[in-house]
Amino acid sequence: MKFQGTSTYVASDSLRLAVNAAITLQRPLLVKGEPGTGKTLLAEQLAQSLDTRLIAWHIKSTTKAQQGLYEYDAVSRLRDSQLGVDKVHDVRNYLRKGKLWEAFEAEERVVLLIDEIDKADIEFPNDLLQELDRMEFFVYETGETVKARQRPIVVITSNNEKELPDAFLRRCFFHYIAFPDRETLQKIVDVHFPGIKGELVAEALDVFFDVRGIPGLKKKPSTSELVDWLKLLLADDIDLAALRERDPAKAIPPLAGALVKNEQDTQLLERLAFMARRGTR
């Protein structure tokens, strides 16, 4: 089955091609792009389109590669041995399976998401090279090798906060999700808000791209923030005239907190408005 997107996820031709190429090559799909462009959502929708289970491993700065395989709780075993608990004789009772182990032992082919891999230590990707390549790993405590029953479809996301090692990149199929053009954003809006007035969308997109185009903006608003903003505009029944306002002295759009997410960018909009007001005096 080929991935074609879903009724709730608009995938570009290049993204569909990348997903299907990674599946054909049996390589992890490494997806980069601006935050909010749908990288994590891609894995969720891929699992839905293939009618299979999603196993998500969300990476933090403290996450270690070993945690994706398994963790051995030696402290609990020591405590149980002191208390004379029967299960202490079987070390398997103290192994906590990680997301890779869960994906490897699944009877069906699942989608394994390794989300925001660049948050972890620089050595994290290299520590998973063999396991993702061979689809197996060794459990030292039991002397067994865990092999994937069905090779999972692996989706790895990155916000490009760190450079990933070349050895890791060689084993992946790479795709960069470019920021959607206006036509694609229109399709995304139509998916989320069927029946929304075309005039409102047109004006909202004008404002949205105006904000994204402001020089010096620290964080440009993303696709997900556009969706949130439109939801608020509809909920608050914002007058269309408020969006059509193009007075530079009113540089901050209504409900801007959905689009602008830090004080630096808010102050930038306020300075632009202040300078515009001074210029009209």
Side-chain angles (χ1 to χ4, degrees):
M1 183 184 295
K2 296 286 187 179
F3 176 67
Q4 299 295 335
T6 68
S7 60
T8 57
Y9 188 86
V10 178
S12 65
D13 291 341
S14 60
L15 178 56
R16 291 197 296 268
L17 183 64
V19 171
N20 292 318
I23 294 174
T24 300
L25 293 173
Q26 296 187 333
R27 296 279 190 180
L29 174 64
L30 174 60
V31 185
K32 291 186 179 183
E34 289 184 29
T37 50
K39 300 185 296 296
T40 303
L41 189 59
L42 168 64
E44 298 171 2
Q45 296 300 310
L46 175 58
Q48 178 182 314
S49 70
L50 298 179
D51 192 24
T52 190
R53 186 158 53 105
L54 172 70
I55 296 176
W57 186 17
H58 300 289
I59 307 303
K60 301 178 181 178
S61 59
T62 55
T63 303
K64 302 300 180 185
Q66 181 64 33
Q67 293 172 311
L69 308 179
Y70 68 93
E71 292 181 274
Y72 171 48
D73 191 351
V75 174
S76 292
R77 193 182 188 194
L78 175 61
R79 183 180 63 246
D80 288 348
S81 68
Q82 293 170 339
L83 296 174
V85 178
D86 288 341
K87 70 175 185 177
V88 75
H89 301 294
D90 188 352
V91 69
R92 289 178 177 82
N93 292 321
Y94 302 93
L95 297 180
R96 188 180 299 116
K97 296 178 181 179
K99 296 298 183 180
L100 266 72
W101 192 331
E102 186 180 344
F104 285 6
E105 72 176 2
E107 295 291 346
E108 75 281 13
R109 182 178 65 168
V110 300
V111 174
L112 172 63
L113 168 65
I114 303 177
D115 196 27
E116 297 189 329
I117 194 171
D118 52 325
K119 279 188 175 180
D121 183 85
I122 189 62
E123 291 302 322
F124 180 92
N126 280 336
D127 291 341
L128 289 175
L129 283 181
Q130 297 298 324
E131 289 77 9
L132 291 177
D133 201 26
R134 297 181 180 178
M135 286 289 149
E136 65 179 44
F137 62 89
F138 186 72
V139 182
Y140 292 94
E141 288 76 10
T142 64
E144 65 180 314
T145 298
V146 176
K147 296 183 179 182
R149 295 176 181 174
Q150 298 285 342
R151 191 179 188 97
I153 299 170
V154 182
V155 178
I156 302 171
T157 71
S158 170
N159 288 325
N160 231 8
E161 293 181 6
K162 292 190 188 83
E163 288 295 326
L164 299 175
D166 289 344
F168 179 79
L169 295 175
R170 283 199 302 271
R171 289 167 168 81
C172 298
F173 189 94
F174 172 75
H175 181 74
Y176 182 85
I177 299 182
F179 191 82
D181 57 20
R182 189 182 181 104
E183 181 182 351
T184 304
L185 278 180
Q186 177 75 58
K187 293 178 181 177
I188 293 172
V189 170
D190 291 341
V191 164
H192 286 274
F193 306 100
I196 190 172
K197 293 181 180 178
E199 288 184 333
L200 175 63
V201 175
E203 293 297 334
L205 287 178
D206 284 344
V207 173
F208 177 76
F209 279 110
D210 284 347
V211 173
R212 276 188 61 88
I214 293 175
L217 208 63
K218 184 177 180 180
K219 183 193 178 304
K220 296 180 180 181
S222 67
T223 308
S224 62
E225 286 155 348
L226 170 64
V227 172
D228 288 344
W229 185 50
L230 279 170
K231 189 182 296 183
L232 289 174
L233 293 179
L234 292 172
D236 286 19
D237 196 21
I238 296 298
D239 187 357
L240 195 59
L243 294 180
R244 286 178 173 157
E245 178 64 64
R246 289 296 184 268
D247 184 353
K250 300 177 181 178
I252 302 179
L255 299 168
L259 298 176
V260 181
K261 295 299 180 73
N262 60 70
E263 64 279 6
Q264 178 178 314
D265 290 343
T266 300
Q267 291 167 3
L268 175 60
L269 290 179
E270 291 172 345
R271 284 198 301 272
L272 291 174
F274 175 74
M275 292 169 63
R277 284 195 295 270
R278 290 195 63 181
T280 55
R281 288 175 184 173

